[in-house]
């Protein structure tokens, strides 16, 4: 433990610190076979067409993240990391019979989906599900796109240990491809001696954000997926890391963003690289090129959480360079491209003149170990009161030297500007990076009344109190 903490405090001179496997008689390391691109959804237990019913049980689980050592204090939904893919269509009812198999209270939060407040799984809004208890989450799917679920109690520990799952919410007119791949991006901090999940950090490390030393795609560092040259892949990406921003490129391939957090864009947006802060999602279309046997990697480049001038000493255990997240292998069979005809019926129409209901001010005091929104640290915060069901502006102002991914529960929004400039990728969002000393302007219809949380999605910051709640009336 001491060693790992010390190692994190050393200057960034050691490069990629992916640990070596450790000999362990109790572990049963198996190399991961190459999988065909695609996914198998969770079994729908209800025969009715308009209902998808699943069972979800969270419990301790041992898993090999790709190092060859079983992590003895992992957690999983239904014994899988990530948990099962929930596939639903807009208009269907999703019923989840949830069992909390942990020895402490927990919830399920449906990140990004507009659900009734009593189904949101955030602490203020509902009774927690006690250890060993059950709860039936039930709501209608309103929003097409790529979402995810995770606990909203002990969040920074539970997500590090593997508790997260994917939600593919289908639009009736969305493009359908064989190679539809929902991927949870994550990093995990392993103790370099034991190869187990490193203990919870000191307050100082919590302020800096817990950056891991192993990058994973769907719970493994060694994931390999076979694709066909010529076929179109829809790569659905969610960043489930505690603090890491992923900055992604795909070797030799052109990427087009076709959906953001809250669903499909009206257009394809070509990008050279894709930055996703914790909690953010995107769907990327790729028409694969290459020869059979080619191996093409999804690469992650270093993203500095702090303003360069302010914090030159920021340390990333993955080093300063690029690191692979997963590998795609071009198979022997050829595929054909799928035209991207994108649904457009759901897109925002804000003018930028919406009256600003509130300005959130994010700040931190490194020496005092405090992170705040509007000068308050959760839970000692007054509510923000706003009128609902009308076009409403918000401003998020970052007075600190660090990036903060700002997440709103319950109501989606459009980003009008980041530091005065309209973003390259539009569409509905629920989580947005607010750069150091930067300002973001948002607009929302606020069509989901209730009491909702807002917080930084660097999970250590949320734990330290960078959170609050707003009442939509
Ligand atoms: Cu933060």
């Amino acid at each position: 433990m001491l060693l790992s903490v010390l190692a994190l405090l050393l200057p960034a001179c050691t490069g990629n610190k992916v640990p070596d496997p450790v000999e362990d008689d109790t572990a049963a390391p198996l190399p991961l076979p190459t999988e065909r691109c695609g996914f198998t959804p969770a079994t729908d237990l209800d025969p009715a067409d308009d209902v998808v019913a699943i069972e979800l049980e969270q419990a301790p689980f041992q898993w090999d993240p790709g190092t060859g050592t079983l992590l003895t204090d992992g957690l999983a939904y239904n014994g899988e990391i990530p948990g099962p893919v929930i596939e639903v269509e807009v208009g269907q009812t999703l019923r989840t019979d949830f069992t909390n198999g942990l020895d402490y209270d927990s919830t399920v939060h449906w990140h990004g989906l507009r659900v009734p407040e009593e189904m949101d799984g955030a602490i203020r809004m509902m009774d927690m599900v006690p250890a060993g208890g059950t709860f039936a989450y039930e709501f209608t799917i309103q929003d097409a796109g790529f979402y995810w679920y995770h606990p909203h109690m002990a969040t920074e520990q539970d997500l590090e240990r593997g508790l997260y799952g994917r939600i593919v919410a289908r639009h009736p007119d969305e493009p359908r491809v064989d190679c539809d791949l929902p991927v949870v991006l994550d990093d995990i901090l392993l103790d370099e001696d034991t190869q187990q999940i490193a203990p919870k950090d000191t307050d100082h490390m919590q302020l800096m954000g817990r950056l891991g030393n192993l990058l994973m795609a769907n719970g493994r560092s060694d994931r390999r997926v076979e694709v066909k040259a010529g076929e179109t892949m829809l790569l659905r990406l969610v960043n489930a890391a505690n603090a890491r921003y992923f900055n992604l490129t795909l070797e030799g391939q052109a990427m087009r963003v076709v959906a953001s957090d809250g669903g499909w864009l009206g257009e394809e947006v070509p990008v050279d690289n894709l930055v996703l802060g914790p909690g953010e999602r995107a769907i990327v279309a790729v028409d694969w090129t290459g020869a059979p046997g080619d191996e093409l990697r999804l690469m992650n480049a270093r993203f500095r959480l702090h303003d360069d001038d302010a914090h030159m000493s920021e340390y990333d255990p993955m080093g300063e360079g690029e690191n692979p997240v997963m590998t795609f292998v071009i198979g022997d069979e050829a595929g054909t491209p799928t035209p991207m005809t994108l649904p457009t019926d759901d897109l925002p129409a804000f003018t930028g003149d919406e009256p600003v209901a509130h300005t959130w001010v994010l700040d931190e005091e490194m020496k005092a170990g405090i992170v705040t929104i509007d000068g308050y640290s959760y839970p000692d915060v007054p509510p923000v009161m706003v009128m609902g069901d009308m076009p409403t502006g918000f401003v998020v102002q970052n007075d600190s030297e660090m990036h903060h991914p700002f997440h709103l529960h319950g109501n989606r929004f459009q980003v009008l500007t980041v530091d005065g400039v309209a973003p390259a990728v539009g569409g509905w969002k629920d989580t947005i990076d607010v750069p150091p000393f930067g300002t973001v302007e948002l607009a929302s219809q606020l069509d989901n009344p209730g009491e909702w949380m807002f917080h930084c999605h660097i999970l250590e910051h949320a734990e330290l109190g960078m959170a609050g709640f707003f009442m939509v009336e």
Side-chain angles (χ1 to χ4, degrees):
M1 171 182 172
L2 183 62
L3 269 178
S4 74
V5 172
L6 284 175
L8 285 170
L9 295 173
L10 290 171
C13 57
T14 47
N16 187 337
K17 296 288 285 184
V18 176
D20 297 317
V22 168
E23 296 292 327
D24 183 343
D25 291 342
T26 63
L30 286 172
L32 205 59
T34 300
E35 312 147 85
R36 165 64 195 156
C37 185
F39 71 93
T40 304
T43 304
D44 176 8
L45 301 170
D46 191 310
D49 285 347
D50 58 349
V51 178
V52 170
I54 63 157
E55 288 176 346
L56 200 63
E57 179 171 12
Q58 63 182 29
F61 180 70
Q62 298 193 356
W63 110 91
D64 174 3
T67 59
T69 298
L70 287 177
L71 302 181
T72 55
D73 55 358
L75 302 174
Y77 292 108
N78 294 4
E80 302 173 48
I81 294 176
V85 181
I86 299 174
E87 185 181 27
V88 285
E89 293 168 23
V90 168
Q92 284 183 321
T93 295
L94 173 63
R95 193 178 71 238
T96 303
D97 288 308
F98 170 66
T99 301
N100 178 16
L102 306 181
D103 58 7
Y104 48 89
D105 297 347
S106 191
T107 64
V108 184
H109 170 55
W110 313 90
H111 184 129
L113 287 176
R114 287 178 298 159
V115 302
E117 65 172 4
E118 68 273 17
M119 296 292 153
D120 191 51
I123 302 160
R124 286 188 63 88
M125 269 50 80
M126 59 173 287
D127 292 330
M128 294 157 274
V129 183
T134 61
F135 186 81
Y137 290 93
E138 187 168 333
F139 46 82
T140 302
I141 301 298
Q142 300 187 58
D143 306 314
F146 185 44
Y147 303 91
W148 61 305
Y149 56 93
H150 62 74
H152 218 280
M153 298 274 306
T155 313
E156 94 285 10
Q157 297 175 64
D158 285 359
L159 268 69
E160 180 78 352
R161 295 165 70 186
L163 267 187
Y164 42 63
R166 298 153 288 172
I167 303 169
V168 174
R170 298 281 191 192
H171 189 287
D173 302 326
E174 73 181 58
R176 297 291 185 115
V177 297
D178 291 339
C179 180
D180 189 331
L181 191 66
V183 171
V184 182
L185 306 165
D186 195 7
D187 65 352
I188 192 169
L189 183 62
L190 299 177
D191 182 284
E192 297 196 352
D193 294 327
T194 65
Q195 296 293 289
Q196 295 293 323
I197 298 170
K200 189 174 172 178
D201 305 314
T202 62
D203 283 351
H204 176 72
M205 293 309 298
Q206 289 229 303
L207 274 178
M208 301 292 283
R210 180 178 168 109
L211 295 176
N213 52 13
L214 190 72
L215 302 183
M216 300 183 299
N218 289 342
R220 294 282 298 217
S221 63
D222 55 352
R223 198 161 287 282
R224 294 165 60 86
V225 170
E226 186 183 302
V227 295
K228 298 173 183 174
E231 78 174 335
T232 302
M233 170 177 68
L234 287 178
L235 183 60
R236 299 170 187 258
L237 297 167
V238 51
N239 180 354
N242 284 35
R244 179 179 301 280
Y245 280 58
F246 280 83
N247 180 7
L248 302 162
T249 51
L250 193 46
E251 287 182 322
Q253 307 296 309
M255 300 193 295
R256 297 115 68 198
V257 178
V258 293
S260 59
D261 289 356
W264 300 91
L265 308 174
E267 58 180 352
E268 304 176 44
V269 182
V271 292
D272 295 327
N273 63 311
L274 177 68
V275 174
L276 288 178
E280 285 190 293
R281 286 94 61 215
I283 305 176
V284 176
V286 176
D287 290 337
W288 281 103
T289 59
D294 282 359
E295 299 199 351
L296 302 155
R297 298 171 301 171
L298 182 65
M299 299 297 293
N300 181 54
R302 174 86 157 95
F303 184 95
R304 300 188 69 84
L305 284 173
H306 290 82
D307 187 65
D308 273 357
D309 297 331
H311 226 290
M312 293 299 287
S313 64
E314 178 184 302
Y315 173 67
D316 184 340
M318 293 303 303
E320 292 299 311
E322 279 193 294
N323 296 282
V325 181
M326 62 185 296
T327 302
F328 293 93
V329 185
I330 305 284
D332 294 332
E333 214 178 311
T336 51
T338 304
M340 287 292 107
T341 48
L342 301 173
T344 56
D345 56 351
D346 205 23
L347 289 173
F350 296 110
T351 62
D353 295 328
E354 290 75 22
V356 173
H358 189 76
T359 296
W360 283 295
V361 179
L362 317 181
D363 208 353
E364 58 187 355
E365 289 176 51
M366 291 296 283
K367 284 203 177 98
I370 295 170
V371 283
T372 57
I373 300 179
D374 300 341
Y376 297 101
S377 282
Y378 192 87
D380 300 318
V381 295
V384 172
M385 313 291 284
V386 290
M387 292 296 292
D389 217 15
M390 65 176 73
T392 304
F394 291 101
V395 175
V396 192
Q397 178 184 320
N398 184 354
D399 283 356
S400 79
E401 63 188 35
M402 186 171 184
H403 287 264
H404 299 283
F406 187 75
H407 173 47
L408 280 190
H409 286 222
N411 284 273
R412 57 189 182 174
F413 54 79
Q414 183 188 7
V415 180
L416 301 175
T417 63
V418 177
D419 289 341
V421 179
V425 179
W428 290 111
K429 301 249 326 146
D430 51 70
T431 310
I432 179 66
D433 170 50
V434 190
F437 307 113
T439 299
V440 173
E441 294 179 299
L442 314 175
S444 174
Q445 184 59 32
L446 290 180
D447 50 13
N448 198 9
E451 185 179 330
W452 304 106
M453 287 199 79
F454 53 84
H455 60 87
C456 178
H457 221 284
I458 290 179
L459 299 177
E460 290 74 27
H461 288 182
E463 170 71 12
L464 281 177
M466 202 166 206
F469 61 104
F470 67 116
M471 311 271 293
V472 179
E473 292 175 317

